Amino acid sequence: MNVGSLIAVSGKIFGRIERISKNTLLIRRILITYDSQDRKTIGLLPQAVYLDRKLVESSYWIKVIDSDLPPISESLDLIDGIQLIHECFDV
């Protein structure tokens, strides 16, 4: 587990570890997308949450995935923004 690793909850990638401290992890929501050259990349969303590190390490439904995907450095071109909102915020 290190900064930049991805967090999957029940098989769905949920966020990226932004900061690690002794007892907590700062997890930022992400969107897996493609850049202008059709390379897989990460779109960083503004929402973030602190999670208990022991909870993440001990829960079988939370997986930490090492990743070398870079965050996107350009604005996202959303085709269906409503679908993105439903998917990301479960509303």
Side-chain angles (χ1 to χ4, degrees), residues 2-6 13 16 30 32 42 64-70:
N2 52 29
V3 173
S5 294
L6 302 180
I13 294 178
R16 184 176 104 158
I30 63 165
I32 302 292
I42 296 173
V64 178
I65 304 165
D66 289 330
S67 174
D68 59 352
L69 293 176

Side-chain angles (χ1 to χ4, degrees), residues 32-79:
I32 302 292
T33 188
Y34 294 88
D35 65 8
S36 58
Q37 283 99 24
D38 287 334
R39 295 177 297 200
K40 195 180 254 189
T41 187
I42 296 173
L44 300 173
L45 300 174
Q47 298 83 14
V49 65
Y50 282 100
L51 293 178
D52 181 41
R53 187 174 180 169
K54 290 180 185 177
L55 173 74
V56 172
E57 292 173 341
S58 65
S59 298
Y60 69 90
W61 64 86
I62 301 175
K63 302 290 183 210
V64 178
I65 304 165
D66 289 330
S67 174
D68 59 352
L69 293 176
I72 196 164
S73 60
E74 56 194 59
S75 62
L76 297 176
D77 184 17
L78 300 177
I79 296 170

